[in-house]
Amino acid sequence: MLQKFTGVVLCTFRYNDTKNIAHIYTEQNGRMSFLVPASRLKKQAVSSVLFQPLSLVEFDSDIKPQSSLHPIKESRLWHPFASIPYDPFKSSIALFLSEFLFKALKEEGRNEALYAYIVNSIVWLDTCDKSFSNFHLVFLMRLSRFLGLFPNVYDYVKGAYFDLINACFTTEQPLHGMYVHPEEAARIVNLMRMRYETMHLFSMSRNERNRCLDIINEYYNLHLPDFSEMKSLAVLKELFS
C-alpha cells in the first residue's frame, strides 16, 4: 500500500548494484528502512542524492507488511539545506550526528516530540551563521531527555562527581570507577543548562570541548545496548581543533 512519509535520513548503505538502503527516522512510524535507486540523477522520481546525512525528506513508499525494506516510489526535499552541505564544519557535525542517531535510535518507534526536536535542531543548525561550535554537545545532552537518559541534575553541588552508571551527581567518589571528576562534572552541568541560543555564552577550549564529547559518548555507550564505536568521532574532534 502506497503511503506518504516525512523523515530525517540517518544513513544510506549500498544494497546491490542498483539499489541502496536508506535508514530514515520518520514522523509517522519512527525508524524505518527503505530501498532507493543507487542512481544520483536528480531528475529521477527517486534520486540517491537526496538521501544525505540528516536530509529532511518527504516521500511515497510502497509499504509491504511482511517486509522490513520498503521501496520508495517518489521523493523530494521538504527543507533544502542552505548551508550544511557547503560548510565543512556543519557537514562534519551532520555526519557525526547522523551516525550517532543511527546507533541510538535502533528501537525507537513513533515519537512526535523526539522527531520535532531532531528536525527543529537540524533546521536551526542550517540557518545559523555563527557560534555553533558547541551545537553537537548541546544536541546530545538534550537528546538524552527524549531517550529517558537525562541525568539527575538536582543533586549537583560544587565539587560533586558525576556517576556515569547511575546518571547522578554525588559528593563521594564512586567505587566502580565509571565517573567524572568534579572539574569536568561542572562542565557537564553547564552543558545541561545550555540552549542553542545561549551556548555561545559558554566558552570552552578545544581540549575541554573534546573531553566533553568523550564523556557524552561514554555515557551513551553505558546506557544504550549495542552502542558501537563512532567512526566519525575522531574526524569531528580533529576538525574542531
Side-chain angles (χ1 to χ4, degrees):
M1 181 175 66
L2 201 63
Q3 296 184 23
K4 294 184 178 296
F5 294 91
T6 53
V8 180
V9 178
L10 303 181
C11 67
T12 303
F13 294 116
R14 183 183 180 88
Y15 182 60
N16 56 33
D17 290 340
T18 60
K19 295 186 183 301
N20 294 332
I21 297 177
H23 298 278
I24 302 175
Y25 189 70
T26 69
E27 179 179 15
Q28 291 77 13
N29 292 340
R31 177 168 167 167
M32 300 178 68
S33 300
F34 300 92
L35 288 172
V36 298
S39 172
R40 297 177 62 87
L41 296 176
K42 294 183 178 181
K43 292 185 178 181
Q44 289 188 164
V46 181
S47 172
S48 65
V49 75
L50 300 182
F51 297 87
Q52 303 302 311
L54 296 191
S55 289
L56 303 176
V57 294
E58 54 183 358
F59 54 93
D60 301 328
S61 177
D62 186 10
I63 301 301
K64 302 181 183 299
Q66 304 304 319
S67 175
S68 60
L69 290 175
H70 313 287
I72 291 180
K73 299 301 184 181
E74 186 175 351
S75 63
R76 54 216 160 267
L77 296 174
W78 69 262
H79 177 87
F81 286 145
S83 65
I84 288 179
Y86 317 109
D87 185 307
F89 294 97
K90 289 186 178 182
S91 59
S92 294
I93 289 175
L95 183 63
F96 170 77
L97 292 183
S98 64
E99 182 186 1
F100 196 99
L101 291 170
F102 173 71
K103 297 176 183 296
L105 303 182
K106 289 181 179 179
E107 305 299 330
E108 288 296 319
R110 179 174 179 173
N111 185 327
E112 293 181 1
L114 173 59
Y115 177 81
Y117 168 70
I118 295 173
V119 168
N120 291 337
S121 297
I122 295 170
V123 172
W124 189 95
L125 177 64
D126 186 52
T127 56
C128 78
D129 57 3
K130 60 181 179 180
S131 302
F132 56 83
S133 57
N134 292 331
F135 175 86
H136 53 297
L137 301 178
V138 177
F139 177 89
L140 295 179
M141 289 305 303
R142 294 166 67 88
L143 176 68
S144 67
R145 187 184 298 276
F146 295 92
L147 300 181
L149 302 175
F150 195 72
N152 180 3
V153 298
Y154 299 106
D155 294 336
Y156 176 75
V157 294
K158 186 176 181 180
Y161 296 84
F162 179 55
D163 186 327
L164 289 167
I165 292 179
N166 295 303
C168 65
F169 293 92
T170 175
T171 55
E172 297 183 3
Q173 182 175 319
L175 298 177
H176 52 63
M178 303 301 295
Y179 62 86
V180 178
H181 287 280
E183 181 180 351
E184 293 178 335
R187 296 194 194 103
I188 297 299
V189 173
N190 282 337
L191 278 175
M192 294 176 189
R193 294 170 177 168
M194 288 184 199
R195 294 180 291 109
Y196 298 142
E197 296 78 11
T198 62
M199 62 186 182
H200 67 280
L201 301 175
F202 298 81
S203 61
M204 283 192 288
S205 68
R206 174 196 65 188
N207 290 335
E208 290 171 345
R209 185 177 294 112
N210 285 343
R211 177 56 183 152
C212 285
L213 187 56
D214 284 335
I215 292 171
I216 295 172
N217 188 61
E218 184 176 16
Y219 179 74
Y220 274 99
N221 188 51
L222 284 170
H223 291 275
L224 291 178
D226 302 321
F227 192 81
S228 55
E229 180 182 358
M230 294 284 299
K231 296 180 180 179
S232 58
L233 179 62
V235 176
L236 185 67
K237 292 168 66 175
E238 181 65 25
L239 187 64
F240 278 95
S241 297

